[in-house]
Every structure is written in structure tokens, then in C-alpha cells.
């Protein structure tokens, strides 16, 4: 299930649906066999009826019906042709059903694989991707790949068989002309391969243009308010217009040249058919080939075009599908979060545990180190605070605590057990990380609170009450079923933070990490909120990252982080004495600068 998606994977997935694959192909072969004799039947009548060379076909019809009228021969042959065509039509429709079944299964399997992979990718890999990219990859490319698989299933065997059948019949009719036809085949294939490669390159450019445009449009609309307050609509939309132009140019190039490639191949085929028409007449004049046989030969030659084009189409699609596979594979090769075996659960039957970082050093990707030998500990039930200038590494520490960046050096211990022995899902089930900016789904208040976990109305309302949101929700016409818009746009900054806090309370974690989670609240609201939260936080190990004195004053122990180092630690008073907390300034301005 992991690793790249290759043509071999596609082959294996088709093979796994062996029954439907054979059904599709047997039906296709049946239809082909029914259609094969058709081009020969009417032309034989020309020889046997019009040109007066009685033959086996007319003899057979006369022996059955005891009549040798021309209209009878024509009617019988027409009836046979129509019966064959209708039967082939029926078989082909059945074939389409099974082929679609296979194609849709392949689409589903690929989508399933992508989703399964995304579910487990590491956060650092996620950050390297932009969300617009992910969406276009998993929607558009899956369609192209499954379309290609459909082409393989429906055309490969039946078109090859059709080709073989026609070849045998043509050889039987006139082997010299037939050999001439087949000698041209390798040139056709080489030509279509070249066309496929060229159109593949153009398609790659078109994809790229769409991708960049899509990404930028998403981002511009997401940050539209920022664009407007900066009065930069013209610049942003100007850039987008430029990308729209590039799509136009790339699509024109691809659309035009791909169509020229298609018509070139049709022109080549028609030219060959025309040449063989001439050669056919010459064969009638200079050999024993009859007129009827010559017409039948030409019919077969025209019939040959369809399976040839289907096979050439397959070669072209093989080339054009490569960019889609490449794009899918960039997604599928993003590395996963490590899977630690769950050996021990330090949270079991406990209200809380201690949380300790030992000698933690970390850098984002290949960048410079942002955390250096961090040592800190929150004892069981203790409340610690992390303070320090902006960019000093506080958020990174919080995210490392919940295992977001496993590439760090050093140890993370919950209840003295290393995180690697606990397993990330257990850690996250018991530890809540309140982000600097709370994130919400474009859904109801209820969904955003429960995130699909089973919670009773009483539990939900208690959490809302503790977060001081109960009154607000009660006043809403749709109450808990009110939609809050994309990322909670219909709520104020403070309401969003309170909703995040209600979500936290509802999840009932054993350890809580606040990453400036209350910064959007005014001092008084924040003070009351922590007062309300006091009962909830009591006895739970709590880590608070904050700037305000009101928030950090409640901490049992404070760590001062500067430039990725723990520069100092101690109580509020101790740090204030050495000038790391400027309480006076805070009192004056109602904010604390740490
Ligand atoms: N995803 C990331 N990729 C690369 N570098 C990052 C990333 N996130 C943060 N950094 C860098 O890591 C350093 C620490 O950032 P961090 O967000 O942990 O600081 P902070 O103390 O929480 O800042 P603030 O108080 O402003 O939130 C900074 O130099 C920042 O530029």
C-alpha cells in the first residue's frame, strides 16, 4: 500500500480484478469475432451475383431457401450483417459495464491510497506542500490514470485480436498487398510514439500552469481581507491575470498541437488507404484478385484503422499519463510520521502525568538549529510557563512536545516514559495543544466542538459554560447547529478562542499546552477565563506559552527561552528580579513584554 504508484501497480490492480478483466475481454473478443466477417459479405455478393462468378455463399443460400433470386441473396446477407452488428452491439455494451467497473475500482483504490497516505504524513512534509496542490493532484490525476486503465482494459486485447484477425483475412485475400500493409505498421507505431512524447511535454506545461494558478487563486481568496486592507487587489489579481494568460497560452499550445497530432495520424492513415486503393485496382488488373475481393480488402484496410488508432491512442496516453503519475507520486512519497509501537501507557488510570524534555535540539528541514539542548520539566499537576521574545522557539517546543517534529535530538518523556514507547496517538489522545490561532471547519458549532466524537448535550453545554460561550450559543437561532463559516469567519476573534477552549474542555485531556491561546481576548476576559478554567486545569499538568503577566503569574515555574536556549528559569518573582519580566510596564500598558 505504500511507495510509488507505477505502471506495475496499475497492472497488479487490473490483475486483481481478474474476473471482470476476463469478462470484459471475452465480451470484446466475442464482439470482434462477430464484426470480423462483415466487410467481406457484401463484396462477395458483387463477385457471385453481379459479376456472374457463382460461389459457395450463393450456393449455400439457394440450398436453404430453394430460390436463386438476387433480392433473396441481398436480404439474407443484410439480415446476417444486421444480426452480427446487433449482437456485437449488445456484447460491447456489456463489455463497457465491466470495464467501467474495473476503472472505477482503480479510481477508488488510488483515492483510498492517497487519503490513507495523507492521513499519516509528517507535519514537516505537510508544510512543504500547499493545499491547492494536494486537491488538484488527487482529483484530476486520479481521473487521468483510471481513464488510461479503462483504455488498457477495453482496447489492448480486443484491438490486438481485431488486428490479428484482419491480418489473417487480408493475407488470405492477397498476401502481397497484405505484407505491404504490415510493413508500414512499425512506422505508424514509431510516429505515434513521437507524437505521444511531444504532446506529453505540452500537457506537462499545461498542468503546471493550472497548478500555479489554482494555488495562487486559493491563497489570494483565503487572504482576501489582507489583500484588501493592503490595497493590493491590483497587484495580486494582476499576477493572477498573468497566470490565467499562461494557462491560455499553454492550453492553446497543447490543445492545438495535440489536435494536430491526432489529425496528422488520421491524415497518414487516410493517405495509406488511398495508396492501397490504387494498388488494389492494379492487383485486379494484373493478378487473379476479383473486384469483390478487392473491395473487401479495402474495407478491411479501412477497418484496420480503428484498432490501429486505438493501439496508437494507448501509446500516446501512456506518454501523457506519465506527468499525472509523477504528480501523484510526489504526494505518495511524502514521508510518514514514525509509527512507535505502543508498549506502555503512562496515562492509564491517572488524572495527569509529568512532561519532560531532555536535551532537545531541533532544526526545520535542513535549516539552522532553532532549539539547542532544551531541558525542561512540568511535574505531575504542575503549571509551567514558557516566555521569551518572538521567534525564540516557544511554539516549536510546544509542537515537539506532541511529536509533530520527530526529527529532533533528545528525549520527550510523559510520566518518565519516552514518547517512542507510548505511541503518538496515545500521546495526542491525552494531551491537548491549543494553537496560537484556533482552526475551525466550515461546519456547525456542534461539529467543531465534538470533531465527530460522541458527546452528550449536557457535556457540550457544560463545556460552553466553562468557556463563557453558553449565552452566546443560546441566543443563536440555530444554537449548536449554527454554521460558523470557513475557519469560523462568522465569529469574533474572542468567540473563536472561546470555542477552541470549549473544545478543549470537552476533549478532557490529561495534559494541556496553551500556545498563546488566549491572546485575542482582552485582559479582563482572559483573566476571567483562566479563573473559570482553574477548576478544569486543577490537577492537570499545564504548559502555558504567553506574553501577559496575568497569564504567567499563575505558573508554578517559568522558563525563559531566548534564541532557542533556556536562558533562565525560576518563579515569577525570581525572573522579575533579574529583569526578564517587566511587570511595571505591563501594569501600565495592560500588556506584558517578555
Ligand atoms: N515551519 C517552519 N519552518 C521553518 N522555520 C520555522 C518554522 N516555524 C518556525 N520557524 C523558525 O523557528 C524559529 C522559532 O519559531 P517559533 O515559532 O517556535 O518561535 P516563537 O517563540 O513561538 O515565536 P512567537 O512568540 O512569535 O510565536 C524562528 O526562527 C522561526 O523563523
Amino acid at each position: 500500500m505504500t511507495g510509488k504508484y507505477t505502471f506495475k501497480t496499475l497492472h497488479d490492480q487490473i490483475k486483481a480484478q481478474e474476473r471482470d478483466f476476463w469478462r470484459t475481454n471475452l465480451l470484446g473478443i466475442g464482439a470482434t469475432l462477430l464484426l470480423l466477417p462483415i466487410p467481406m459479405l457484401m463484396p462477395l455478393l458483387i463477385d457471385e451475383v453481379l459479376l456472374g462468378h457463382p460461389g459457395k455463399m450463393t450456393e449455400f443460400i439457394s440450398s436453404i431457401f430453394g430460390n436463386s433470386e438476387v433480392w433473396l441473396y441481398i436480404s439474407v446477407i443484410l439480415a446476417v450483417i444486421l444480426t452480427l452488428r446487433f449482437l456485437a452491439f449488445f456484447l460491447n455494451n456489456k463489455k463497457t459495464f465491466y470495464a467501467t467497473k474495473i476503472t472505477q475500482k482503480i479510481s477508488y483504490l488510488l483515492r483510498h491510497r492517497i487519503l490513507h497516505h495523507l492521513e499519516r504524513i509528517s507535519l514537516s512534509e505537510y508544510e512543504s506542500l500547499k493545499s491547492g496542490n494536494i486537491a488538484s493532484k488527487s482529483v484530476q490525476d486520479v481521473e487521468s490514470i483510471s481513464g488510461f486503465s479503462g483504455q488498457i482494459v477495453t482496447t489492448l486485447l480486443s484491438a490486438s485480436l481485431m488486428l490479428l484477425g484482419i491480418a489473417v483475412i487480408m493475407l488470405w485475400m492477397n498476401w502481397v498487398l497484405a505484407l505491404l500493409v504490415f510493413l508500414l505498421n512499425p512506422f505508424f507505431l514509431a510516429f505515434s510514439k513521437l507524437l505521444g512524447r511531444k504532446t506529453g511535454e505540452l500537457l506537462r506545461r499545461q498542468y503546471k500552469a493550472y497548478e500555479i494558478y489554482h494555488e495562487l487563486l486559493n491563497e489570494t481568496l483565503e487572504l482576501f481581507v489582507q489583500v484588501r486592507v493592503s490595497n493590493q487587489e491590483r497587484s495580486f489579481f494582476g499576477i493572477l491575470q498573468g497566470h490565467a494568460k499562461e494557462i491560455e497560452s499553454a492550453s492553446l499550445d497543447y490543445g492545438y498541437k495535440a489536435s494536430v497530432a491526432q489529425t496528422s495520424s488520421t491524415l497518414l492513415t487516410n493517405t495509406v488507404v488511398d495508396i492501397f486503393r490504387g494498388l488494389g485496382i492494379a492487383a485486379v488488373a494484373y493478378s487473379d484478385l476479383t473486384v469483390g475481393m478487392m473491395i473487401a480488402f479495402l474495407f478491411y484496410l479501412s477497418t484496420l484503422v480503428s484498432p490501429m488508432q486505438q493501439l496508437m491512442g494507448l501509446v500516446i496516453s501512456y506518454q501523457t499519463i506519465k506527468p499525472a503519475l509523477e504528480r501523484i507520486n510526489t504526494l505518495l512519497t511524502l514521508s510518514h510520521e514514525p509509527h512507535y509501537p505502543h508498549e506502555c501507557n503512562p496515562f492509564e488510570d491517572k488524572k495527569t502525568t509529568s512532561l519532560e524534555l531532555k536535551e532537545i535540539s531541533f532544526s526545520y528541514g535542513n535549516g539552522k538549529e532553532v532549539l539547542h539542548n532544551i531541558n525542561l520539566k512540568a511535574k505531575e499537576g504542575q503549571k509551567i510557563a514558557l516566555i521569551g521574545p518572538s521567534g525564540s522557539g516557544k511554539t516549536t517546543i510546544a509542537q515537539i512536545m506532541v511529536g509533530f517534529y520527530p526529527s529532533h535530538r533528545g528525549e520527550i518523556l510523559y510520566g518518565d516514559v519516552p514518547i517512542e514507547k507510548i505511541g503518538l496517538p496515545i500521546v495526542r489522545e491525552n494531551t491537548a495543544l491549543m494553537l496560537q490561532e484556533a482552526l475551525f471547519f466550515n461546519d456547525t458549532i456542534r461539529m467543531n466542538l465534538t470533531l465527530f466524537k460522541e458527546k452528550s448535550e449536557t457535556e457540550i453545554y457544560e463545556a460552553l459554560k466553562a468557556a463563557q460561550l453558553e449565552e452566546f450559543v443560546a441566543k443563536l437561532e440555530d444554537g449548536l447547529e449554527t454554521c460558523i463559516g470557513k475557519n469560523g469567519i462568522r465569529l469574533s476573534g474572542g468567540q473563536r478562542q472561546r470555542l477552541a477552549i470549549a473544545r478543549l474542555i470537552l476533549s478532557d485531556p490529561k495534559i494541556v499546552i496553551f500556545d498563546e491561546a488566549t491572546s485575542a481576548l482582552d485582559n479582563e476576559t482572559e483573566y476571567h477565563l483562566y479563573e473559570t478554567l482553574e477548576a478544569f486545569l486543577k490537577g492537570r499538568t499545564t504548559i502555558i506559552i504567553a506574553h501577559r503577566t496575568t497569564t504567567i503569574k499563575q505558573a508554578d515555574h517559568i522558563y525563559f527561552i531566548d534564541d532557542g536556549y533556556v536562558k533562565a528559569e525560576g518563579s515569577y518573582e525570581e525572573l522579575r528580579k533579574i529583569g526578564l519580566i517587566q511587570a511595571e510596564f505591563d501594569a501600565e500598558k495592560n500588556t506584558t513584554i517578555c
Side-chain angles (χ1 to χ4, degrees):
M1 269 303 277
T2 52
K4 286 191 172 184
Y5 192 93
T6 60
F7 285 108
K8 161 106 180 41
T9 326
L10 188 61
H11 167 262
D12 292 346
Q13 285 182 344
I14 295 175
K15 213 172 149 203
Q17 301 176 71
E18 217 163 339
R19 261 179 86 170
D20 285 334
F21 175 80
W22 283 115
R23 277 178 177 155
T24 309
N25 279 289
L26 286 176
L27 288 163
I29 290 168
T32 307
L33 291 177
L34 290 172
L35 292 173
L36 257 181
I38 292 177
M40 198 170 16
L41 295 175
M42 280 294 178
L44 281 183
L45 272 190
I46 297 175
D47 283 345
E48 296 186 21
V49 177
L50 294 185
L51 301 178
H53 302 297
K56 292 208 171 78
M57 199 167 71
T58 41
E59 266 172 33
F60 181 68
I61 296 172
S62 301
S63 69
I64 294 178
F65 294 96
N67 194 331
S68 51
E69 292 291 331
V70 172
W71 65 262
L72 177 72
Y73 297 139
I74 297 174
S75 310
V76 170
I77 294 299
L78 196 60
V80 171
I81 290 177
L82 290 182
T83 311
L84 292 176
R85 279 205 199 284
F86 275 104
L87 282 175
F89 167 80
F90 174 74
L91 295 190
N92 271 329
N93 282 347
K94 271 272 173 226
K95 171 183 116 171
T96 308
F97 170 75
Y98 290 114
T100 314
K101 209 171 144 198
I102 296 176
T103 317
Q104 289 315 313
K105 181 87 182 169
I106 284 171
S107 290
Y108 166 73
L109 288 175
L110 188 49
R111 267 184 223 119
H112 171 79
R113 185 171 172 158
I114 292 169
L115 293 176
H116 186 67
H117 187 78
L118 283 179
E119 188 184 329
R120 295 181 296 153
I121 63 164
S122 75
L123 199 70
S124 47
E125 291 279 30
Y126 165 76
E127 281 169 1
S128 70
L129 275 181
K130 295 198 175 157
S131 54
N133 228 346
I134 295 179
S136 67
K137 271 180 178 130
S138 54
V139 178
Q140 198 178 325
D141 295 339
V142 167
E143 287 311 306
S144 320
I145 291 169
S146 70
F148 175 67
S149 70
Q151 248 180 311
I152 295 182
V153 172
T154 49
T155 60
L156 196 58
L157 255 181
S158 48
S160 306
L161 184 85
M162 184 82 160
L163 214 57
L164 186 74
I166 295 174
V168 171
I169 295 175
M170 284 169 91
L171 279 169
W172 167 71
M173 288 174 159
N174 189 301
W175 66 269
V176 182
L177 279 182
L179 280 184
L180 272 175
V181 171
F182 301 133
L183 278 177
L184 288 173
N185 276 0
F187 295 105
F188 267 99
L189 284 177
F191 180 66
S192 45
K193 207 170 164 190
L194 180 77
L195 288 184
R197 211 178 48 241
K198 293 276 175 220
T199 44
E201 282 161 17
L202 295 173
L203 189 63
R204 228 175 248 142
R205 183 183 153 210
Q206 194 200 36
Y207 271 167
K208 192 83 210 154
Y210 269 114
E211 200 176 305
I212 297 173
Y213 174 78
H214 197 219
E215 234 170 67
L216 200 67
L217 180 63
N218 270 351
E219 199 166 36
T220 309
L221 291 179
E222 254 165 40
L223 303 180
F224 189 67
V225 177
Q226 182 58 47
V227 172
R228 177 136 292 174
V229 292
S230 316
N231 196 23
Q232 284 298 343
E233 294 98 321
R234 275 217 170 156
S235 311
F236 279 89
F237 284 92
I239 295 172
L240 272 165
Q241 296 284 6
H243 288 297
K245 206 81 201 130
E246 168 59 11
I247 292 182
E248 184 195 17
S249 147
S251 304
L252 179 68
D253 215 18
Y254 169 70
Y256 170 66
K257 289 183 182 159
S259 155
V260 168
Q262 200 63 48
T263 48
S264 305
S265 111
T266 312
L267 177 70
L268 187 68
T269 322
N270 290 340
T271 310
V272 171
V273 171
D274 286 338
I275 293 172
F276 275 92
R277 277 184 189 141
L279 290 175
I281 295 171
V284 174
Y286 298 111
S287 74
D288 59 355
L289 187 71
T290 62
V291 173
M293 283 297 231
M294 186 264 288
I295 294 175
F297 188 91
L298 292 177
F299 274 166
Y300 277 111
L301 190 62
S302 311
T303 318
L304 191 70
V305 174
S306 161
M308 279 280 286
Q309 275 182 343
Q310 283 176 10
L311 289 174
M312 285 196 281
L314 207 59
V315 178
I316 294 176
S317 296
Y318 173 77
Q319 298 289 339
T320 51
I321 210 70
K322 280 182 181 169
L325 271 183
E326 276 165 28
R327 286 151 46 104
I328 290 269
N329 281 326
T330 27
L331 200 65
L332 288 175
T333 47
L334 294 175
S335 54
H336 280 164
E337 271 201 325
H339 173 71
Y340 303 133
H342 172 49
E343 293 173 15
C344 182
N345 186 349
F347 302 100
E348 205 166 9
D349 302 327
K350 296 190 88 178
K351 180 159 170 62
T352 193
T353 70
S354 60
L355 169 52
E356 184 175 6
L357 299 187
K358 269 190 185 169
E359 307 275 308
I360 293 282
S361 298
F362 172 73
S363 40
Y364 284 101
N366 299 322
K368 69 177 180 59
E369 206 171 80
V370 293
L371 296 181
H372 323 278
N373 285 327
I374 299 284
N375 285 297
L376 56 85
K377 180 163 186 174
K379 293 184 199 143
E380 229 175 79
Q382 206 182 25
K383 201 178 279 175
I384 66 162
L386 307 185
I387 61 170
S390 175
S392 57
K394 304 178 299 293
T395 295
T396 310
I397 294 176
Q399 298 195 334
I400 281 192
M401 282 172 171
V402 288
F404 278 0
Y405 298 108
S407 59
H408 61 81
R409 288 201 309 278
E411 277 190 294
I412 306 163
L413 301 135
Y414 282 84
D416 298 326
V417 182
I419 201 169
E420 291 82 1
K421 288 195 173 169
I422 307 170
L424 295 174
I426 300 284
V427 168
R428 290 180 195 147
E429 201 176 296
N430 292 286
T431 310
L433 170 62
M434 289 279 295
L435 301 170
Q436 230 165 30
E437 199 184 325
L439 302 173
F440 297 100
F441 294 90
N442 186 2
D443 210 305
T444 61
I445 292 181
R446 183 192 296 278
M447 183 270 167
N448 276 288
L449 280 172
T450 60
L451 297 181
F452 301 124
K453 285 183 196 143
E454 281 293 323
K455 296 285 172 189
S456 70
E457 296 290 294
T458 324
E459 284 173 302
I460 293 177
Y461 276 101
E462 269 173 16
L464 285 172
K465 190 172 176 191
Q468 301 170 6
L469 256 188
E470 194 191 19
E471 230 178 278
F472 167 73
V473 175
K475 279 188 199 150
L476 293 171
E477 200 177 318
D478 295 323
L480 286 174
E481 312 312 326
T482 308
C483 273
I484 59 169
K486 194 164 183 204
N487 211 12
I489 189 106
R490 293 188 201 137
L491 302 178
S492 74
Q495 285 164 345
R496 277 201 287 274
Q497 277 193 330
R498 270 179 286 214
L499 191 61
I501 283 164
R503 181 158 72 189
L504 162 82
I505 295 171
L506 203 55
S507 70
D508 194 22
K510 296 191 171 163
I511 295 183
V512 187
I513 305 168
F514 289 99
D515 183 1
E516 296 190 52
T518 51
S519 58
L521 305 180
D522 58 70
N523 267 11
E524 205 185 315
T525 316
E526 187 190 42
Y527 179 77
H528 287 306
L529 195 67
Y530 274 111
E531 219 177 35
T532 325
L533 273 176
E534 211 175 308
F536 168 76
L537 293 176
K538 201 168 178 350
R540 296 176 210 245
T541 305
T542 309
I543 290 102
I544 303 174
I545 299 174
H547 282 120
R548 289 191 187 133
T549 316
T550 40
T551 322
I552 56 177
K553 237 177 179 172
Q554 331 152 24
D556 302 312
H557 197 75
I558 301 171
Y559 290 86
F560 182 82
I561 315 292
D562 192 10
D563 201 16
Y565 291 94
V566 176
K567 280 282 168 68
E569 59 178 290
S571 66
Y572 176 81
E573 276 310 318
E574 282 164 348
L575 293 192
R576 201 173 72 82
K577 268 186 203 144
I578 53 171
L580 293 174
I581 300 173
Q582 298 162 11
E584 297 77 15
F585 181 82
D586 175 58
E588 211 175 288
K589 301 267 184 186
N590 251 355
T591 50
T592 297
I593 309 299
C594 300

